[in-house]
Amino acid sequence: MQARGWDELDVLFISGDAYVDHPAFGVPLLARLLEAEGLRVGIIAQPDWRNPDTFRVMGRPRLFAALSSGAMDSMVNHFTAARKIRRDDAYTPGGKAGARPNRAVIAYTAALKGAFRGLPIVIGGIEASLRRFAHYDYWDDKVRRSILIDSKADLLIYGMGEASLKEVVRRLQCGTPFSALTDIPGTAHLASDLPEKVTILPSFEEIVQNCTAYAKAFRLCTEQQHLPLTGPTLAQRHGNRYVVVAPPSPPLEQEELDAIYALPFTRQPHPTYRERIPAYEQIRFSLTTHRGCAGGCAFCAIGHHQGKRIQSRSISSILGEIKRLGQHPDFRGTLTDLGGPTANMFGVRCRRPDRECRRNSCLTPSPCPHFDPSDRLGVDLLRQVRTQKGVKHAVIASGIRTDLLQQQPDYFADLLAHHVGGLLKVAPETIDAGVAAIMHKPNADSFIAFLDAFRKACDRLGLRRAVVPYFMSAHPGTTVESMIEVALFLKRHHLKVEQVQEFTPTPGSLSTCIYHTGIDPFTGQKIHIPRSPAERRQQKALLLWHLPESRPDILAALQRCHRTEVADQLWGGGSKGREKQNSSPRKGRGEKKGRRSPPKR
Ligand code: SF4
């Protein structure tokens, strides 16, 4: 501040992550955005929330303070799926845990209020965004109030936030009092009286008592999420107050996105840090090519946060960023990722963006006729990037949606030939038809077709590549019996799962709503929830059937399901004949016994 001749800030940012001036870190990105608007901004990273003085080091800001827990929800960051404390934190120097509090948004807001009496506080980022309504919290195992109520913040910005934050600043600069910021898209505020023309959600008190009311509230919130600008304003009563949520901001136009990534990021951590920041090491030479995800996987909240419509940067903007990256002293020519939430969605689009669309996914249960999966822009991007001066390797490390990849033959070939190493990591998550439908993932037939296309492409191109599949255990709808079929499928297709993600009910996702209520909010269908530690353990062991340490749990699972003959199929010799009889996982024993049919959305 002294070097810039500033005697005060306009906006003070607080971040739960280390300060890394890189566009992959949300708070530094927003700070650069406001700086470009001519504002004086400062960032305090990972302050000591127990000491208000650490929040005062740059003085009281003129307009407001804005805070985020960081790139992750602080509870997801701190605890495993088994609710055990994590020992590390990738977003902190030295990877050390403990630099931010549990429920960081609440703790930081309280500290800021203690440091600056009467200063307006704006909360944002993934933790605030996905907890804007009353929501189920896995770590408390109860429905919690909106984070606006619990934190006592003055305004909440949800989604990616750039447009809403700029509008907040613009209005304040024009003299609008903070209390009048009640209709900005992408924001939520508290009101004592019920505003006019709002859709009323079941109240906090109702959804605590009643799972059907919870599911209805979730459904209405999701529908609003799909209708930027045109959606209803929602109000949810908490006691004698209302949480009022305006419809989302519209997706950014390509020029707006390009302008953000052209801001003068140093792409370096703050110079005071002496220890490495693991998350930075991972992304320092990666590029974000687009935002949004059209897949709508039920367990993932990215669609809720970034939106379903794909917002792609222009190729010239990406090439310009690579050129600037070439000046980084440590860049040796390897781009560690060219991606977004799903790498092969770069350049895909909705042909009817003006249409009001309430679908959760453009791809499931069947591809939307308005979805254009063309790989023309994606292929163009890859070709231009790998021939760019100074680029030796350009890796695609972001997730790939395999059902989409099958509609993108040129991208598929380029990906295999130039942009992955020996292993292609894909995340089918399940091959059980019923669970795939609940997850909004492609089913087993689609995955088998992908494996077939993958092997043919490798043969044609003369490449030695292998697929590493990621699967999920304990997702709503998954039974031990269905997981036995998954284990047999893996064995049949010579696939070894290296990592299993155990389902964690994170705030805001459809799967979390199902986990809490036991029903699909869109169909009303009852769904099995694997809750007991024994069942969760057995499901995970079945995915890792090839590891000797999994055997005791697998044997217990087989006994429980009266399927002890499967042990021989998995580990015994001469299993081929039996496998042949059971070659389709969808026609296996589970289906004969009346497995549910996929829910319709
Ligand atoms: S109309 Fe179809 S392609 Fe467009 S957003 Fe909706 S589901 Fe996706």
Side-chain angles (χ1 to χ4, degrees):
M1 286 174 72
Q2 284 166 358
R4 293 189 177 210
W6 295 349
D7 55 2
E8 68 172 356
L9 298 176
D10 294 314
V11 178
L12 170 66
F13 283 96
I14 306 293
S15 172
D17 289 338
Y19 180 6
V20 181
D21 188 24
H22 187 288
F25 285 72
V27 165
L29 183 146
L30 293 170
R32 285 283 182 203
L33 184 76
L34 293 193
E35 182 192 40
E37 297 280 306
L39 275 88
R40 299 165 299 175
V41 291
I43 297 176
I44 302 177
Q46 302 187 314
D48 181 354
W49 62 98
R50 293 150 297 207
N51 179 3
D53 283 345
T54 59
F55 291 75
R56 294 194 187 106
V57 290
M58 285 191 272
R60 182 187 180 96
R62 183 174 65 88
L63 296 175
F64 59 88
L67 67 89
S68 160
S69 69
M72 292 172 76
D73 185 285
S74 54
M75 300 305 280
V76 180
N77 186 290
H78 291 178
F79 295 94
T80 67
R83 298 191 178 97
K84 297 213 167 77
I85 295 178
R86 293 186 199 275
R87 309 235 168 270
D88 53 2
D89 179 348
Y91 293 87
T92 298
K96 293 174 192 146
R100 90 189 84 204
N102 287 346
R103 308 199 185 282
V105 167
I106 296 173
Y108 289 154
T109 308
L112 271 168
K113 285 195 172 277
F116 304 112
R117 227 184 140 90
L119 178 72
I121 313 284
V122 179
I123 57 177
I126 202 106
E127 181 165 314
S129 186
L130 298 178
R131 294 175 182 267
R132 61 189 181 273
F133 298 102
H135 57 281
Y136 173 73
D137 183 277
Y138 175 64
W139 298 274
D140 281 357
D141 195 19
K142 69 173 192 184
V143 176
R144 286 184 67 102
R145 300 180 298 180
S146 160
I147 201 165
L148 252 181
I149 302 261
D150 280 350
S151 68
K152 303 185 179 66
D154 299 278
L155 191 72
L156 183 154
I157 292 181
Y158 69 94
M160 296 302 278
E162 290 98 343
S164 309
L165 187 64
K166 274 169 74 172
E167 182 61 13
V168 166
V169 167
R170 189 191 69 74
R171 292 199 194 178
L172 293 175
Q173 298 274 59
C174 292
T176 307
F178 201 94
S179 58
L181 303 177
T182 56
D183 62 345
I184 298 177
T187 67
H189 69 280
L190 285 178
S192 308
D193 300 314
L194 189 62
E196 287 177 9
K197 293 192 195 149
V198 295
T199 299
I200 302 172
L201 298 180
S203 69
F204 164 70
E205 290 76 12
E206 278 176 88
I207 70 170
V208 166
Q209 299 293 335
N210 184 331
C211 283
T212 310
Y214 187 103
K216 181 181 176 191
F218 183 86
R219 199 173 63 242
L220 292 170
C221 300
T222 305
E223 284 172 8
Q224 185 205 41
Q225 184 67 41
H226 293 324
L227 301 172
L229 281 184
T230 60
T233 294
L234 300 180
Q236 186 172 47
R237 188 169 63 76
H238 289 63
N240 55 4
R241 285 181 295 174
Y242 294 90
V243 173
V244 182
V245 182
S249 280
L252 294 182
E253 298 294 336
Q254 189 173 76
E255 300 74 42
E256 295 173 300
L257 208 52
D258 286 355
I260 287 171
Y261 287 91
L263 292 169
F265 300 99
T266 62
R267 303 181 82 97
Q268 301 272 20
H270 193 275
T272 51
Y273 295 138
R274 294 283 164 266
E275 293 176 288
R276 292 155 72 93
I277 301 164
Y280 167 67
E281 298 298 326
Q282 215 180 344
I283 54 83
R284 65 199 297 213
F285 300 127
S286 70
L287 278 89
T288 302
T289 55
H290 59 285
R291 288 182 179 177
C293 186
C297 298
F299 48 82
C300 173
I302 288 181
H304 284 274
H305 192 66
Q306 297 198 2
K308 184 176 53 181
R309 301 270 164 90
I310 305 300
Q311 305 146 67
S312 300
R313 292 170 63 188
S314 69
I315 293 179
S316 61
S317 158
I318 296 166
L319 295 178
E321 191 177 347
I322 295 173
K323 202 169 167 194
R324 291 193 295 281
L325 205 57
Q327 290 150 17
H328 192 291
D330 299 330
F331 184 62
R332 300 281 177 270
T334 298
L335 296 170
T336 52
D337 191 21
L338 285 175
T342 303
N344 55 327
M345 285 189 185
F346 177 80
V348 305
R349 66 187 181 107
C350 169
R351 294 192 190 94
R352 296 282 309 279
D354 48 332
R355 186 175 176 269
E356 282 205 348
C357 169
R358 289 180 168 77
R359 280 181 62 146
N360 287 322
S361 166
C362 306
L363 295 168
T364 60
S366 58
C368 171
H370 304 304
F371 185 68
D372 176 6
S374 167
D375 59 357
R376 188 180 58 80
L377 285 171
V379 168
D380 200 11
L381 172 72
L382 296 184
R383 289 184 181 160
Q384 291 206 46
V385 167
R386 62 177 183 267
T387 52
Q388 170 99 335
K389 194 174 163 215
V391 175
K392 292 183 193 150
H393 305 287
V395 179
I396 306 281
S398 291
I400 297 283
R401 182 95 187 195
T402 54
D403 51 345
L404 178 59
L405 195 61
Q406 289 169 74
Q407 302 173 62
Q408 301 176 317
D410 293 339
Y411 187 96
F412 200 168
D414 275 15
L415 177 75
L416 292 182
H418 304 287
H419 301 284
V420 290
L423 302 174
L424 178 63
K425 294 175 184 166
V426 295
E429 308 294 2
T430 183
I431 52 93
D432 178 278
V435 180
I438 295 167
M439 287 181 171
H440 296 180
K441 286 298 251 183
N443 59 24
D445 291 345
S446 168
F447 187 55
I448 291 168
F450 162 75
L451 290 174
D452 194 40
F454 170 82
R455 283 169 189 146
K456 282 185 181 143
C458 288
D459 288 347
R460 197 176 61 249
L461 299 165
L463 298 167
R464 283 174 65 87
R465 300 275 187 269
V467 164
V468 180
Y470 285 48
F471 280 84
M472 189 180 283
S473 65
H475 188 275
T478 315
T479 59
V480 171
E481 196 156 77
S482 67
M483 217 45 124
I484 292 171
E485 300 302 333
V486 177
L488 289 169
F489 174 94
L490 294 172
K491 162 96 179 180
R492 254 194 318 275
H493 290 271
H494 311 288
L495 294 168
K496 282 190 180 166
V497 175
E498 286 187 358
Q499 254 186 337
V500 171
Q501 189 188 346
E502 200 176 330
F503 170 67
T504 310
T506 55
S509 76
L510 167 59
S511 300
T512 300
C513 172
I514 298 173
Y515 176 88
H516 171 59
T517 60
I519 50 177
D520 183 318
F522 296 95
T523 62
Q525 180 195 8
K526 279 195 172 159
I527 291 175
H528 168 74
I529 310 295
R531 290 187 204 275
S532 80
E535 183 177 0
R536 290 172 77 96
R537 215 175 43 244
Q538 287 170 9
Q539 289 200 10
K540 190 169 176 178
L542 280 158
L543 287 175
L544 299 168
W545 67 270
H546 53 285
L547 301 180
E549 57 268 34
S550 298
R551 290 195 179 199
D553 282 320
I554 293 176
L555 289 171
L558 298 181
Q559 270 171 4
R560 172 182 172 166
C561 298
H562 311 291
R563 297 285 310 269
T564 45
E565 83 286 358
V566 170
D568 190 33
Q569 288 175 262
L570 289 176
W571 304 308
S575 55
K576 279 185 186 163
R578 277 188 294 272
E579 282 163 20
K580 212 170 176 183
Q581 290 165 18
N582 193 17
S583 60
S584 167
R586 298 178 66 193
K587 291 176 187 157
R589 187 171 181 262
E591 198 163 270
K592 274 192 217 149
K593 285 187 83 179
R595 183 179 296 174
R596 70 189 167 272
S597 56
K600 293 184 179 57
R601 295 198 188 289

